Amino acid sequence: MCADQFDNLDKHTQWGIDFLERYAKFVKERIEIEQNYAKQLRNLVKKYCPKRSSKDEEPRFTSCLAFFNILNELNDYAGQREVVAEEMGHRVYGELMRYSHDLKTERKMHLQEGRKAQQYLDMCWKQMDNSKKKFERECREAEKAQQSYERLDNDTNATKADVEKAKQQLNLRTHMADENKNEYAAQLQNFNGEQHKHYYIVIPQIYKHLQEMDERRTIKLSECYKGFADSERKVIPIISKCLEGMILAAKSVDECRDSQIVIDSFKSGFEPPGDFPFEDYSQHIYRTVSDGTISTPKQEGMKIDSKTTVGKAKGKLWLFGKKPKGPALEDFSHLPPEQRRKKLQQRIDELNRELQKETDQKDALIKMKDVYEKNPQMGDPGSLQPKLAETMSNMDRLRMEIHKNEKYTESLLYSLHYSPEGSYTDEANQEIRGPPQQHAHHNEFDDEFEDDDPLPAIGHCKAIYPFDGHNEGTLAMKEGEVLYVIEEDKGDGWTRARRQNGEEGYVPTSYIDVTLEKNSKGAVTYI
């Protein structure tokens, strides 16, 4: 390439950097699109995900479960779009911006070297041109001196002194012309050497560097193009799995199972009412049988106890017993047995989840309290005591609720096997008559205090926290109070204790510090 194309190379390399930065801007906008797309997908999933607060609202139908699985897969798909954006930002955009900065620095250096070489060659040319002009001027002066000398030498009227002076001037001008000739020749030789070096060594080397730089820029663009595609290709297997998961969710929809769930949900557990018996009120009317009259023969087996049949019929008019009035009862006794059992189990599960949350919170508070005690500068341990006491109180309340609902469930299961008059048992398809059951609501602790003889003490305990004991069957205590332990905790979070005055009741195990006697004969568990 000719040296006079330096300005064109300057423009071309600048265009290459501008194109590189333009592609980097394109990648940046693509990254923003991916990030916004992923964000909108996550917001869409969050909008349509179920906001359930209890087990009653949990999806059970296969069509609902399939939709929620699709939402989960779509959420994973959004995560893969974020991975694409992150990979493009790190591998493509970040690399382009770093390389663009390095490219500008390198281009500036090479162009400065080219301009310096051109400036040096221009300086050599000016020196040579100046020496040439000076030599030319001295030659003209020498010619004038020679003409003046020849004129005076041929002039008979000229004095010898004038001729001698003209000769000396000619010699001086000739000498100066010779010196300028030598200077001009030296400058010319130097310029020719520098010019040869400039066009055959310096400029080609600079052009080579610019060419290598431009080729590296082209290679970098090629690598970034590939990285741009690889960022998308890497997540294709995971995206394919997300789509396969959506297809599997669609195939998991089972209309028969959904119908069965509806049937199970609204199944009452009662048998359909039987046929109404025929009650013959004409059996006491005696009519004379005449010709053409059809009479019904009297049969002893046709006599039916009206009291019995009417009683049975009346007992089956309403499938669920007497129609409930007023608000729903706490033990769900207004519901059919099957639905009542499900409701009680749902409540127990929900209470267990709440109890687990409170337990986790208690453990976290205890750990934080230990940290504060070891590092007082981090906080006051006493500030956590009210929250800890509140959490433990909530745990005790939840345990009592769980215990109470478990009693309801046990009573229900017992009644299913030993049903009262007019109901059907699960073990035999026949009616069993028995005495009517009392439905008085009593506390779950009442049955445990019916022993005539008091239980022996198996140890003692000291109250760490005060307990109000508002619930029936519990024992109130003050902080620091010492009580006798007569029954250990059975795993439900309650310990049975007794005061010195003989008052007994249950206290929360987490509120007391228990010390048991090793060889106590009374150290047994009573149920």
Side-chain angles (χ1 to χ4, degrees), residues 261-289:
I261 290 175
V262 176
I263 294 172
D264 293 340
S265 299
F266 299 105
K267 183 173 63 175
S268 66
F270 286 94
E271 292 289 339
D275 295 336
F276 279 87
F278 175 77
E279 299 181 21
D280 189 3
Y281 296 102
S282 63
Q283 57 184 339
H284 299 294
I285 301 175
Y286 299 97
R287 293 181 299 177
T288 305
V289 180

Side-chain angles (χ1 to χ4, degrees), residues 282-349:
S282 63
Q283 57 184 339
H284 299 294
I285 301 175
Y286 299 97
R287 293 181 299 177
T288 305
V289 180
S290 60
D291 295 337
T293 303
I294 301 175
S295 64
T296 304
K298 296 181 180 180
Q299 298 180 4
E300 294 296 329
M302 291 288 292
K303 294 183 180 180
I304 302 173
D305 188 354
S306 60
K307 294 182 180 180
T308 303
T309 56
V310 171
K312 290 181 181 180
K314 290 182 179 179
K316 294 181 180 179
L317 287 176
W318 181 257
L319 289 180
F320 304 150
K322 293 183 178 180
K323 187 174 183 180
K325 297 181 180 180
L329 299 179
E330 182 184 17
D331 59 352
F332 300 112
S333 58
H334 63 287
L335 296 176
E338 185 67 20
Q339 294 188 23
R340 182 187 179 193
R341 182 188 65 79
K342 291 181 180 179
K343 287 287 185 180
L344 288 172
Q345 188 59 44
Q346 289 174 3
R347 181 188 286 173
I348 291 172
D349 294 341

Side-chain angles (χ1 to χ4, degrees), residues 243-493:
L243 298 177
E244 290 175 3
M246 294 181 185
I247 295 174
L248 291 176
K251 293 180 179 179
S252 67
V253 176
D254 187 350
E255 67 280 3
C256 296
R257 183 178 176 185
D258 287 356
S259 298
Q260 188 61 40
I261 290 175
V262 176
I263 294 172
D264 293 340
S265 299
F266 299 105
K267 183 173 63 175
S268 66
F270 286 94
E271 292 289 339
D275 295 336
F276 279 87
F278 175 77
E279 299 181 21
D280 189 3
Y281 296 102
S282 63
Q283 57 184 339
H284 299 294
I285 301 175
Y286 299 97
R287 293 181 299 177
T288 305
V289 180
S290 60
D291 295 337
T293 303
I294 301 175
S295 64
T296 304
K298 296 181 180 180
Q299 298 180 4
E300 294 296 329
M302 291 288 292
K303 294 183 180 180
I304 302 173
D305 188 354
S306 60
K307 294 182 180 180
T308 303
T309 56
V310 171
K312 290 181 181 180
K314 290 182 179 179
K316 294 181 180 179
L317 287 176
W318 181 257
L319 289 180
F320 304 150
K322 293 183 178 180
K323 187 174 183 180
K325 297 181 180 180
L329 299 179
E330 182 184 17
D331 59 352
F332 300 112
S333 58
H334 63 287
L335 296 176
E338 185 67 20
Q339 294 188 23
R340 182 187 179 193
R341 182 188 65 79
K342 291 181 180 179
K343 287 287 185 180
L344 288 172
Q345 188 59 44
Q346 289 174 3
R347 181 188 286 173
I348 291 172
D349 294 341
E350 182 179 354
L351 291 172
N352 281 324
R353 285 195 295 271
E354 294 181 7
L355 178 61
Q356 184 60 41
K357 290 180 182 178
E358 295 292 337
T359 304
D360 295 340
Q361 184 176 359
K362 184 198 74 172
D363 295 340
L365 290 171
I366 292 175
K367 290 181 181 179
M368 189 179 296
K369 183 179 179 182
D370 293 339
V371 172
Y372 285 176
E373 290 175 350
K374 295 178 181 178
N375 303 282
Q377 67 275 9
M378 297 182 65
D380 181 16
S383 62
L384 301 176
Q385 193 61 35
K387 185 63 177 177
L388 185 60
E390 180 184 355
T391 303
M392 299 182 74
S393 177
N394 292 337
M395 291 172 60
D396 296 334
R397 176 181 56 80
L398 290 171
R399 288 193 183 102
M400 292 183 64
E401 288 293 327
I402 292 172
H403 189 70
K404 181 169 61 176
N405 283 274
E406 287 176 348
K407 288 290 185 181
Y408 290 155
T409 305
E410 292 176 3
S411 175
L412 173 63
L413 295 177
Y414 180 83
S415 65
L416 288 176
H417 290 83
Y418 303 97
S419 59
E421 180 179 3
S423 65
Y424 290 87
T425 66
D426 293 341
E427 297 179 353
N429 190 16
Q430 59 182 1
E431 295 183 0
I432 300 177
R433 294 182 179 272
Q437 295 183 351
Q438 300 294 329
H439 294 284
H441 296 284
H442 62 277
N443 190 276
E444 64 271 17
F445 298 112
D446 292 347
D447 295 339
E448 298 183 21
F449 294 104
E450 293 177 358
D451 296 336
D452 295 332
D453 297 329
L455 295 174
I458 60 175
H460 63 278
C461 64
K462 183 178 181 181
I464 305 175
Y465 307 102
F467 180 63
D468 50 21
H470 287 329
N471 294 320
E472 190 174 354
T474 59
L475 182 64
M477 62 182 180
K478 300 179 180 179
E479 183 177 357
E481 184 177 359
V482 179
L483 306 171
Y484 293 111
V485 176
I486 59 177
E487 190 175 306
E488 294 182 66
D489 188 351
K490 301 176 183 178
D492 57 358

